[in-house]
Amino acid sequence: MMRFQDSQTHANLQTAYENELSAAARYRLAATQARQEGQISVSGSFLIMSRHAMTHAALWQKRLLNGTCPNTMQNLRDAAQGEFGQWTWKYTSFAKTARQEGYGDLADLFERLAEIACYHNVCLCRLADDLAGERMYHREEDAVWLCLACGYAHTGPAAPSQCPVCAKPKGWFEAMGEGFE
């Protein structure tokens, strides 16, 4: 029997995974449009289907990765690498092509999105560094730590191990002014 990674089934799983991710994004966009048109029920249905598509994508991802999923650190590194590629060559190349073909407005947009991808890359790298160096929840000086679940604010050099209001663990805290805005 052939290696799974060389099989058509593996290729089909990869396609199914990508299709579910794409569907989830399309459904979120459709939900936004429906909401803008006052179709709140339709918007809600699109959001539910988007969550379903993400669940399906997670199932396919797990199968593609032999039952495991990347941890947060690996996801941060992979995301930073993806943003680096968009920033350094994909959007730059797309902008060049658009400009050569006479689509200056799209070229400008690709260039602006490259700048955003650069910013995303920096943020993701910072998050990975903070997580690896225990800086995610500790500072040398006092900081205001906000519980992202309930809004409780704690001042001190470290996030509390548990929110005293809603009991969420420290992973729900973020140093104010340092998040991904």
Side-chain angles (χ1 to χ4, degrees):
M1 179 160 46
M2 72 171 67
R3 286 182 348 119
F4 179 63
Q5 289 80 1
D6 298 329
S7 71
Q8 183 60 49
T9 298
H10 185 272
N12 291 346
L13 278 175
Q14 184 67 41
T15 299
Y17 171 68
E18 292 167 4
N19 287 347
E20 293 292 350
L21 290 176
S22 179
R26 283 193 318 273
Y27 294 158
R28 288 196 61 86
L29 292 171
T32 299
Q33 182 61 38
R35 190 171 213 27
Q36 289 173 352
E37 294 174 7
Q39 300 298 329
I40 306 308
S41 177
V42 173
S43 176
S45 294
F46 273 123
L47 289 174
I48 289 168
M49 286 184 262
S50 178
R51 285 193 305 273
H52 293 169
M54 287 301 295
T55 299
H56 303 163
L59 291 170
W60 296 137
Q61 180 189 47
K62 192 171 183 178
R63 293 298 179 103
L64 285 165
L65 299 174
N66 296 319
T68 63
C69 289
N71 65 23
T72 299
M73 182 60 77
Q74 188 61 50
N75 284 330
L76 285 168
R77 290 180 177 143
D78 291 347
Q81 182 178 1
E83 294 292 339
F84 182 80
Q86 285 182 326
W87 158 46
T88 58
W89 65 271
K90 283 183 186 175
Y91 284 158
T92 304
S93 172
F94 295 168
K96 182 180 177 182
T97 299
R99 203 167 301 290
Q100 288 171 345
E101 294 178 345
Y103 300 104
D105 57 332
L106 290 175
D108 292 344
L109 185 57
F110 280 125
E111 289 167 351
R112 287 186 193 106
L113 290 176
E115 292 170 7
I116 294 168
C118 175
Y119 172 72
H120 288 172
N121 173 264
V122 169
C123 290
L124 291 162
C125 288
R126 186 194 77 215
L127 284 169
D129 290 347
D130 286 355
L131 188 60
E134 297 297 320
R135 184 173 147 64
M136 187 68 72
Y137 305 107
H138 301 279
R139 299 291 183 274
E140 291 182 18
E141 298 181 11
D142 280 357
V144 177
W145 300 91
L146 183 68
C147 176
L148 300 175
C150 73
Y152 169 75
H154 167 80
T155 301
S161 60
Q162 183 177 10
C163 179
V165 175
C166 69
K168 294 287 188 190
K170 82 175 169 186
W172 282 82
F173 280 86
E174 181 177 274
M176 290 184 63
E178 296 185 18
F180 181 80
E181 285 88 28

